[in-house]
Amino acid sequence: MLEVLRSIPEMVQRAYALPRPCLDISGPEGVVVLGMGGSAIGGDLLQSWMVEKRGPPVFVNRDYDLPAFVGPKHIVFAVSYSGNTEETISALEQAVRRGCRPVTISSGGALEKMSGPGLHIKLPSGFQPRSAVPLMLLPMLGVVEDLGLAMCGAEVNEAVELLKALIPELGPERPEGENQAKRIALGLHKSFPMVLSGPFLAPVAKRWRTQLNENSKVLAREDTLPEMDHNDLVAWSEDPMAKMCGVVLLRDSREHARVAKRMELTRRLGLHRARFLEEVSSRGEGALARLLTALTVGDFASFYLAVLRGVDPTPVNVIERLKRELAG
Ligand code: F6R
């Protein structure tokens, strides 16, 4: 897992260079990403990215069924690292029946076999699906860029450079005083982790939560401002459980000024009751660098929390078991 984490910048570069289909679709109504778990989060990142780039709407479908609005005017990506996730396969079948020409992204499996001619993006094998997020995200950005909907080339270069600078800061050689990921893992150890952010970094907060679930094997939760100021804040200010929580607050240089103000107030009126709180700032100018730098700190923090808990970050045995039992 550590080696895979260290290779994130190279993975971004490699994924952007993967051969990808050139779609024949004009004036698309939107983008739909079919996927689950580690293969769906790239869709959420694409959604945040696209909002900032003022591109078409992105909808992430984590279900067997497709909503009625999806049709041939949508760009559809069916993403499953294994290629065998049943919800994704079912939604893909429905998309094809409706006349969509989905781009499939997998390392093999049923998805590859079901793909239309020239519409498959083949991923290198040997990763845990959740570790392959850059491999699944970058080809989608590339397809969207090739259609002229939003440009990402310069952003990829910036992201790679900033990630290359960030990785040594998070590596095991760096002592905890100078290593934010280690500090956060220590702070979250034996507390209930809560990862909070504004709307742009919401998919990154979700990614932190799912990496804490799957790598560190702990329960965790994510929430978003300004929404949480209208409900969750009450509990933060009154619930005795707040003292058992460890908070990671994801900050972004382009967050709305009122969200920034709310973060300060939310800290003062509620979050200060947590037993640990640390802010993590995204880095860079472009949306991609900001998303991926904030995400990478979380990937390393969840790895160190696994080490502190004495668990292997890589396997997710119960997910495999559930899939076997579903298969009957
Ligand atoms: C495992 C992981 C899971 C899988 C999910 C879907 O590392 O993160 O969330 O991503 O079970 O499987 P795939 O990605 O093969 O479609």
Side-chain angles (χ1 to χ4, degrees):
M1 179 63 75
L2 183 59
E3 285 321 304
V4 175
L5 293 182
R6 281 177 149 145
S7 72
I8 290 175
E10 290 72 31
M11 220 192 275
V12 171
Q13 244 163 350
R14 181 181 181 189
Y16 187 55
L18 283 175
R20 54 184 183 245
C22 205
L23 297 185
D24 179 20
I25 183 165
S26 63
E29 283 172 7
V31 180
V32 179
V33 181
L34 321 176
M36 301 302 300
S39 292
I41 199 77
D44 297 329
L45 294 165
L46 174 69
Q47 188 180 52
S48 253
W49 182 80
M50 202 72 110
V51 168
E52 185 164 309
K53 307 293 280 190
R54 299 164 192 260
V58 178
F59 177 77
V60 185
N61 194 72
R62 290 176 162 89
D63 195 1
Y64 290 88
D65 291 323
L66 266 186
F69 70 78
V70 180
K73 295 285 277 178
H74 284 94
I75 300 164
V76 178
F77 294 104
V79 191
S80 165
Y81 183 73
S82 64
N84 291 323
T85 295
E86 62 176 44
E87 300 94 313
T88 312
I89 291 170
S90 158
L92 171 61
E93 284 166 349
Q94 293 184 17
V96 171
R97 278 204 295 276
R98 287 189 205 171
C100 303
R101 295 188 65 239
V103 174
T104 53
I105 304 179
S106 79
S107 61
L111 233 62
E112 183 173 13
K113 296 196 186 85
M114 292 166 68
S115 188
L119 290 173
H120 186 63
I121 299 177
K122 173 95 174 165
L123 303 178
S125 52
F127 294 96
Q128 269 291 331
R130 64 189 182 281
S131 301
V133 165
L135 290 175
M136 297 186 266
L137 170 64
L138 270 293
M140 292 194 282
L141 296 183
V143 168
V144 164
E145 179 173 54
D146 296 343
L147 286 167
L149 298 173
M151 295 301 142
C152 70
E155 288 198 17
V156 175
N157 294 335
E158 183 201 20
V160 169
E161 289 317 309
L162 289 177
L163 288 166
K164 279 185 179 162
L166 179 62
I167 299 290
E169 294 178 31
L170 304 174
E173 309 76 18
R174 256 320 148 92
E176 69 195 55
E178 304 158 27
N179 187 326
Q180 189 173 37
K182 284 188 180 178
R183 212 161 48 241
I184 290 174
L186 285 162
L188 296 184
H189 192 36
K190 299 194 175 144
S191 71
F192 185 76
M194 302 264 186
V195 188
L196 311 176
S197 74
F200 173 72
L201 289 178
V204 177
K206 185 195 265 286
R207 166 67 171 188
W208 272 69
R209 192 263 292 165
T210 57
Q211 290 289 72
L212 290 164
N213 296 153
E214 292 180 70
N215 290 349
S216 326
K217 280 81 175 158
V218 293
L219 292 169
R221 184 176 163 262
E222 90 264 9
D223 213 334
T224 312
L225 282 95
E227 173 61 21
M228 65 169 279
D229 282 351
H230 299 272
N231 34 65
D232 210 49
L233 177 61
V234 180
W236 275 111
S237 72
E238 298 194 25
D239 187 344
M241 289 273 286
K243 294 184 183 62
M244 298 167 71
C245 294
V247 175
V248 178
L249 187 55
L250 303 179
R251 305 294 307 259
D252 184 59
S253 55
R254 292 180 66 169
E255 67 203 7
H256 194 291
R258 299 298 288 170
V259 170
K261 172 91 180 160
R262 279 172 178 277
M263 287 190 175
E264 301 315 323
L265 279 171
T266 304
R267 280 186 71 147
R268 185 146 61 75
L269 299 177
L271 300 181
H272 68 280
R273 298 182 67 236
R275 64 192 286 257
F276 168 82
L277 190 151
E278 174 123 359
E279 294 198 358
V280 173
S281 298
S282 63
R283 297 186 186 182
E285 289 291 320
L288 186 65
R290 285 161 32 234
L291 289 166
L292 292 182
T293 52
L295 178 147
T296 299
V297 180
D299 279 14
F300 274 83
S302 67
F303 168 82
Y304 290 124
L305 184 55
V307 173
L308 283 172
R309 300 189 67 247
V311 296
D312 183 346
T314 303
V316 282
N317 296 334
V318 72
I319 298 180
E320 306 302 334
R321 175 171 176 191
L322 180 130
K323 287 181 181 179
R324 274 198 309 277
E325 293 197 11
L326 269 172

